[in-house]
């Protein structure tokens, strides 16, 4: 990121730009608050993103929080021009983009409550890496949080086996498309010719499968950058400590153990909570983590570690849980719930079943702890025993266990979305704007979600809060008539929209987290 902008590889091949939910200040603020900090609330904050690209991450934040200020910096002139044009088109006066070299950025830009550096640290020269952490030390507000992601050791050593094959094959090739084509072909040839029973051959085959699913521009920048490096956590923290910073948590908090089980988990349990950096580094050695999203804060802040009774009570809770069919040999009274990535839980506690049922029904919206407990108790009033306090303690214990497994989302402030269908529903401005040109839109949890086809995209673009369901139906049929009259062929385009389809689309859009509260 310190080369001449005229030959910047990010000008030659644009890196895909979209939202990253793990970088959202609402999430960072919650993690900071959980650890005893007093973070700035997203409604009034200053946010800096270094390596902002075309603004796909910052623009939805700025639209969501008009009372806050946002600054994006990138060396790529093409990216900054596109980001600035998009912000201007949306009328975002609280957001600025600047083409600058990180090495010459200084304290003149002010202090920030949140600094985000995603997908940069491992892919720039050492001097830029040092400067990134130094800027954290210089620009971070007293209760601020810095986010930095990077390829991690030892997990990336397996990935580098495939990189070695590809980088050798593309030596001397400058054209980006040709580099990608040759790299893919070389890895396929070498992997398939290697011994599948050897450790090396198995690693190459596994990485080949992963790379088959990577877009060309991601492969070009992430794997074919000869200067890319992976880092152990302790290496990053050593630089951070020199700049007056300390380890706060991972953005994936609170999944403290990841894939560690049995003896591995017992080893981690023996380490004091106060030695969190040691626990995290040991975890990487145990599970071979290949990517980290590390949060840093000022070294003089006393942090509160651990999860205990009462820890979840200040927050809004959400879970992408769905009731699943019971297994044939399931015990009576057991309800099975499915979560993301195929995780399933079998629950027999009546209060916990009720709580997960409520969270399932309102997802992706959130609910306060007190409201969740009250509704759960009301739903199972006839099943609760005489000792209410004991039942509530068991519910809290169960929800904490689910939280520790990374299946329960908590937020200081609830995302500004609703799953209720109002008389004249409104999707977020960003989603409507994005839907006009793309099937990928940013939801109000700052996730990138996919819209299913041109009809749904048009439907989302119509949700500006001015139309009731009858008007939406008329507008959709007008769109279908215009499309046919223009001679445009769209596979699967219906003859006419129906009121039932409008109602169905509204439910789908609400479930995607696109409707404004």
């Amino acid at each position: 990121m310190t080369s001449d902008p005229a030959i910047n590889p990010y000008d030659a091949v644009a890196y895909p730009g979209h939202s990253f939910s793990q970088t959202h200040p609402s999430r960072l603020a919650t993690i900071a608050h959980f650890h005893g900090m007093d973070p700035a609330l997203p409604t009034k904050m200053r946010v800096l993103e270094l390596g902002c690209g075309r603004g796909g991450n910052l623009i939805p934040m700025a639209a969501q929080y008009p009372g806050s200020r946002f600054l994006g910096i990138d060396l790529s002139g093409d990216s900054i021009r596109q980001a600035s044009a998009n912000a201007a088109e949306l009328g975002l006066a609280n957001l600025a983009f600047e083409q600058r070299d990180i090495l010459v950025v200084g304290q003149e830009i002010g202090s920030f409550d949140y600094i985000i550096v995603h997908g940069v640290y491992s892919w720039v020269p050492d001097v830029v890496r040092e400067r990134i952490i130094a800027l954290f030390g210089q620009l971070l507000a007293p209760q601020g949080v810095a986010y930095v992601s990077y390829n991690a050791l030892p997990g990336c050593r397996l990935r580098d086996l495939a990189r070695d094959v590809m980088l050798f094959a593309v030596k001397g090739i400058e054209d980006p498309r040709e580099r990608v084509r040759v790299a893919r072909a070389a890895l396929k040839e070498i992997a398939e010719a290697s011994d599948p029973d050897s450790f090396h051959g198995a690693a190459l085959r596994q990485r080949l499968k992963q790379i088959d699913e990577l877009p060309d521009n991601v492969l070009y920048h992430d794997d074919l950058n000869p200067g890319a490096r992976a880092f152990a956590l302790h290496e990053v923290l050593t630089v951070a400590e020199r700049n007056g910073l300390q380890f706060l948590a991972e953005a994936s908090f609170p999944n403290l153990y990841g894939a560690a089980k049995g003896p591995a988990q017992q080893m981690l349990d023996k380490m004091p909570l106060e030695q969190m950096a040691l626990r995290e580094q040991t975890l990487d050695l145990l599970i071979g983590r290949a990517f980290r999203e590390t949060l840093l804060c000022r070294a003089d802040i006393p942090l509160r570690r651990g999860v205990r009774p009462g820890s979840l009570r200040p927050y809004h809770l959400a879970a992408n849980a769905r009731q699943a069919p019971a297994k044939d040999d399931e015990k009576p009274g057991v309800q099975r719930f499915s979560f993301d990535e195929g995780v399933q839980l079998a629950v027999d506690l009546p209060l916990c079943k009720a709580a997960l049922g409520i969270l399932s029904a309102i997802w992706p919206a959130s609910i306060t702890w007190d409201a969740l407990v009250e509704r759960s108790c009301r739903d199972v009033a006839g099943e609760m025993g005489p000792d209410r306090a004991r039942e509530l303690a068991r519910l809290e214990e169960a929800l904490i266990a689910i939280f520790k497994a990374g299946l329960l989302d908590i937020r200081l402030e609830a995302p500004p979305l609703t799953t209720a269908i109002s008389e004249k529903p409104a999707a977020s401005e960003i989603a409507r704007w994005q839907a006009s040109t793309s099937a990928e839109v940013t939801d109000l949890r700052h996730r990138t979600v996919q819209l299913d086809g041109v009809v749904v995209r048009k439907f989302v673009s119509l949700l500006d809060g001015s139309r009731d369901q009858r008007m939406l139906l008329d507008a959709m049929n007008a769109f279908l008539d215009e499309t046919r009259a223009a001679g445009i062929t769209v596979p699967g385009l219906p003859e006419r929209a129906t009121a039932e389809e409008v109602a169905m689309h509204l439910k789908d859009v609400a479930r995607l987290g696109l409707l404004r509260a």
Side-chain angles (χ1 to χ4, degrees), residues 306-417:
V307 185
R308 55 188 62 83
S311 290
L312 302 183
R313 296 179 188 179
Y315 305 107
H316 296 79
L317 280 60
N320 189 7
R322 300 163 300 282
Q323 293 191 12
K327 294 186 176 180
D328 292 339
D329 58 349
E330 207 87 81
K331 294 179 181 179
V334 170
Q335 175 64 62
R336 189 166 290 274
F337 290 89
S338 293
F339 295 80
D340 292 336
E341 298 178 1
V343 176
Q344 287 202 351
L345 292 180
V347 182
D348 60 0
L349 183 66
L351 267 180
C352 189
K353 287 191 289 185
L356 289 177
I358 292 166
L359 293 170
S360 173
I362 69 170
W363 173 262
S366 300
I367 185 173
T368 65
W369 172 271
D370 288 342
L372 180 63
V373 169
E374 179 185 351
R375 286 183 56 179
S376 300
C377 289
R378 192 165 61 240
D379 287 352
V380 297
E383 301 177 58
M384 289 182 64
D387 192 342
R388 177 184 170 90
R390 179 175 177 274
E391 293 298 312
L392 292 178
R394 291 180 67 195
L395 171 63
E396 183 168 30
E397 182 182 353
L399 290 177
I400 285 176
I402 295 170
F403 171 68
K404 284 183 175 181
L407 303 175
L408 189 65
D409 178 78
I410 64 170
R411 297 294 169 99
L412 257 178
E413 293 184 340
L417 63 88

Side-chain angles (χ1 to χ4, degrees), residues 15 21 34 40 56 153 216 239 284 381 408-409 494:
Y15 196 83
S21 61
F34 195 96
L153 295 173
D216 286 351
V239 181
D284 288 1
L408 189 65
D409 178 78

Side-chain angles (χ1 to χ4, degrees), residues 123 490 517:
W123 296 272
V490 179

Side-chain angles (χ1 to χ4, degrees), residues 199-242:
F199 178 88
H200 182 74
L204 290 181
R205 282 170 167 77
Q206 181 182 22
R207 186 58 184 159
L208 177 62
K209 289 180 182 178
Q210 295 168 344
I211 283 176
D212 282 344
E213 299 176 1
L214 282 183
D216 286 351
N217 49 0
V218 174
L219 177 64
Y220 174 75
H221 288 295
D222 287 5
D223 287 81
L224 300 185
N225 178 345
R229 271 196 59 198
F231 296 86
L233 173 63
H234 69 83
E235 294 179 281
V236 176
L237 295 186
T238 296
V239 181
E241 288 162 5
R242 288 203 303 264

